[in-house]
Amino acid sequence: RKEVEQDPGPFNVPEGATVAFNCTYSNSASQSFFWYRQDCRKEPKLLMSVYSSGNEDGRFTAQLNRASQYISLLIRDSKLSDSATYLCVVKEWDTGKLIFGQGTTLQVKP
Amino acid sequence: GAVVSQHPSWVICKSGTSVKIECRSLDFQATTMFWYRQFPKQSLMLMATSNEGSKATYEQGVEKDKFLINHASLTLSTLTVTSAHPEDSSFYICSALKVAQFFGPGTRLTVL
């Protein structure tokens, strides 16, 4: 079983749509959680951290459920520029290492 | 800021040659840097943790004699792929730790 699992997609949505990505992780001792965005042939860039209380940054909302070991990302009013691969990332508390999911590909179409 | 650079951004080499990739933290000092590898349509896989002034810590399955890491200063870590083969062709990305990990732009290695 992978440590961080994501549906690879692709998710093809029209502009303006709301889309949700899910992620599960296997290590219950994981410390911190993040969503990164990776454009084709580029490095990953931090999109947002994820907290149990939920957090929002503009059109993006992230949620963490520690009991279910489940992380989500909601994108509202999708833009063409949101097209990318979204990586679910978990930081191990004991080693500080980042564990990356496979990524979910989003394609927003006009 | 927290800017990380990598050089070269891409390299093509013949099988059997060695390739050195540099990772620099441009505006901060980083005692810890990380080296990742990403194959097409796969996630980033941590290869090793590079610590300034000490030996790197390699992940299981990564050959330390093939992937030589040197972290000689607080702003520079290098990864040398020795005797590269076509199966080493991949996207190599480094990151530097400053509370969070900040990633370099990556180096695309193609071994013919």
Side-chain angles (χ1 to χ4, degrees):
Chain A
R1 183 186 172 189
K2 294 179 183 176
E3 292 186 69
V4 180
E5 293 208 54
Q6 293 181 251
D7 179 349
F11 284 59
N12 295 301
V13 303
E15 271 188 289
T18 295
V19 60
F21 303 140
N22 303 319
C23 167
T24 57
Y25 60 96
S26 60
N27 186 350
S28 60
S30 298
Q31 178 188 46
S32 309
F33 309 87
F34 310 91
W35 283 101
Y36 277 74
R37 169 191 170 133
Q38 186 175 26
D39 292 287
C40 188
R41 305 176 79 86
K42 299 281 190 180
E43 78 277 21
K45 294 187 177 177
L46 179 64
L47 181 64
M48 59 198 305
S49 300
V50 189
Y51 307 110
S52 297
S53 55
N55 48 303
E56 188 173 308
D57 183 2
R59 297 181 293 108
F60 298 83
T61 301
Q63 194 79 44
L64 165 66
N65 184 322
R66 283 189 183 271
S68 302
Q69 295 178 205
Y70 172 95
I71 305 162
S72 65
L73 176 67
L74 183 76
I75 305 176
R76 292 180 298 277
D77 189 22
S78 300
K79 311 292 184 191
L80 295 177
S81 57
D82 293 334
S83 298
T85 296
Y86 291 83
L87 304 171
C88 177
V89 183
V90 172
K91 184 179 179 181
E92 295 184 336
W93 76 270
D94 52 347
T95 64
K97 296 178 186 176
L98 296 184
I99 310 298
F100 287 79
Q102 183 183 7
T104 299
T105 299
L106 171 65
Q107 187 68 43
V108 181
K109 305 215 180 274
Chain B
V3 181
V4 178
S5 70
Q6 271 183 252
H7 178 81
S9 55
W10 59 270
V11 58
I12 301 173
C13 68
K14 292 182 178 179
S15 185
T17 60
S18 294
V19 176
K20 180 186 281 189
I21 304 170
E22 294 185 349
C23 177
R24 293 181 186 274
S25 54
L26 298 184
D27 52 0
F28 66 102
Q29 293 183 328
T31 55
T32 303
M33 293 184 176
F34 301 88
W35 286 97
Y36 296 84
R37 182 167 53 180
Q38 185 177 33
F39 291 107
K41 299 190 184 301
Q42 295 187 24
S43 62
L44 275 74
M45 295 299 295
L46 180 64
M47 298 176 67
T49 301
S50 171
N51 301 296
E52 187 268 337
S54 64
K55 291 182 179 180
T57 305
Y58 290 81
E59 295 300 298
Q60 191 173 12
V62 178
E63 298 175 58
K64 63 179 181 181
D65 295 328
K66 180 170 178 65
F67 299 99
L68 302 178
I69 292 173
N70 186 300
H71 195 155
S73 78
L74 288 171
T75 58
L76 173 64
S77 175
T78 60
L79 168 69
T80 301
V81 183
T82 62
S83 186
H85 289 98
E87 57 265 30
D88 297 323
S89 299
S90 188
F91 190 46
Y92 292 84
I93 308 175
C94 73
S95 71
L97 184 63
K98 180 188 178 186
V99 184
Q101 285 190 34
F102 293 87
F103 288 86
T107 297
R108 195 159 299 278
L109 171 64
T110 302
V111 184
L112 302 177

